[in-house]
Amino acid sequence: MASQDWLDKDFYQLLGVSKDVSDAELKKTYRKLARKYHPDSNPGDAVAEAKFKEISEAYSVLSDAEQRAEYDQIRAMGAGGARFTAGGGGGQGFEDVFGGMFGGGGRNTHFQAGGPQGFEDIFGGMFGGGAPRGPQAGRDIQATTTLDFETAVQGKTVTLQASTGSVKVKIPAGVADGQKIKVRGKGEPSPTGGPAGDIILTVSVRKHPVFEREGQNLRVKLPVTFSEAALGATVEVPTLGGAPVKLKVQPGTPSGRVLRVKGRGVASSKGTGDLLAEVQIVVPSHLTPEATEALEAFRAVEPKENPRADLLARAKG
């Protein structure tokens, strides 16, 4: 959208923020709206798609300090700050404006490009400009994409539908939720012959029902029975996108202990993490008479240690 069209759109109102909104609050508001109106969340909804494009456009301008300043200036002028009329019956005409600037009396005013204040200097002073700038880069395009957990860990090439056409973007392995990827030269073309802008792609990652990510490591909760924890056992542990692996649980393993499976975490350019299995002892909800009898016999001979003794001592300070 060309800057001369900014008069017709109130980006602050579109995003529901005040004109003095901070960068952090602006980003937070945009991400909330982007998730709400993203085409992936509203398949086939043309209204939501149009709304998503509008808020992306608004955020693209307001998140850039230079463009935001230019936008605010243009909007202020459009609100009544700088208007030129043809002269005559009402207000101040074009000749009156320049007559007042040069101390002249209307039609006898003359302009000289080479004098103390040339024509370019006049407009530079009025509009905050100076000497003409060289070709400027095109505007960046803000985009979002949502990936499932496993795809984000393994990486993928996605196709974006931008205003400049279809663009293929390679998502690197190990990309994290909220991470931004810059695709250089695929944004809007420059109106002045400069380089094209970039695509700034924000990645959203869906949660996994089993695994959680901690940096380069993956964490999983590993249920084990009381007898497996007390006596020791070899159990199977699931891995992301692969076959389960066998893990040895040592005798006397308490609930909450973390067992490590090397090299089964997130593989990226930063290295490969591990799989962290957090032991959770499962207490059976139903016992057979034989199991109850066996536990009663065990309770009669188990060590007479109070597992809460340290907790009670520390609580007293």
Side-chain angles (χ1 to χ4, degrees), residues 67-278:
Q67 290 194 66
R68 182 173 176 177
E70 182 181 355
Y71 171 76
D72 289 342
Q73 185 179 28
I74 290 175
R75 290 281 296 179
M77 291 170 57
R83 296 182 184 272
F84 299 103
T85 64
Q92 185 180 31
F94 188 85
E95 292 178 348
D96 294 331
V97 174
F98 286 97
M101 289 173 61
F102 289 90
R107 296 184 183 275
N108 294 326
T109 303
H110 299 282
F111 303 102
Q112 296 179 351
Q117 184 180 27
F119 193 77
E120 290 181 349
D121 296 332
I122 298 169
F123 283 95
M126 289 177 62
F127 299 104
R133 293 182 292 180
Q136 298 181 9
R139 290 198 303 132
D140 292 344
I141 295 176
Q142 302 290 332
T144 62
T145 187
T146 301
L147 305 176
D148 60 63
F149 190 90
E150 185 172 345
T151 299
V153 170
Q154 296 176 349
K156 182 182 180 181
T157 297
V158 300
T159 301
L160 303 178
Q161 294 299 328
S163 58
T164 54
S166 297
V167 179
K168 289 189 176 182
V169 180
K170 184 177 181 180
I171 307 296
V175 66
D177 183 58
Q179 183 173 333
K180 292 183 180 295
I181 299 173
K182 178 179 288 189
V183 187
R184 296 190 180 278
K186 296 299 183 180
E188 293 191 0
S190 168
T192 58
D198 303 326
I199 291 180
I200 310 299
L201 178 64
T202 302
V203 177
S204 178
V205 181
R206 298 187 183 96
K207 292 186 178 296
H208 195 278
V210 172
F211 299 97
E212 293 182 1
R213 183 172 174 180
E214 293 182 355
Q216 296 297 104
N217 296 327
L218 295 177
R219 179 178 284 266
V220 61
K221 297 184 184 299
L222 178 65
V224 299
T225 65
F226 169 74
S227 60
E228 288 173 334
L231 302 177
T234 298
V235 299
E236 285 190 330
V237 182
T239 61
L240 184 65
V245 295
K246 293 187 180 297
L247 185 63
K248 187 172 183 179
V249 179
Q250 296 293 336
T253 296
S255 188
R257 176 169 292 177
V258 176
L259 308 179
R260 186 180 298 268
V261 182
K262 284 284 189 180
R264 289 306 183 102
V266 179
S268 71
S269 59
K270 299 178 180 179
T272 302
D274 302 326
L275 176 62
L276 308 178
E278 180 183 339

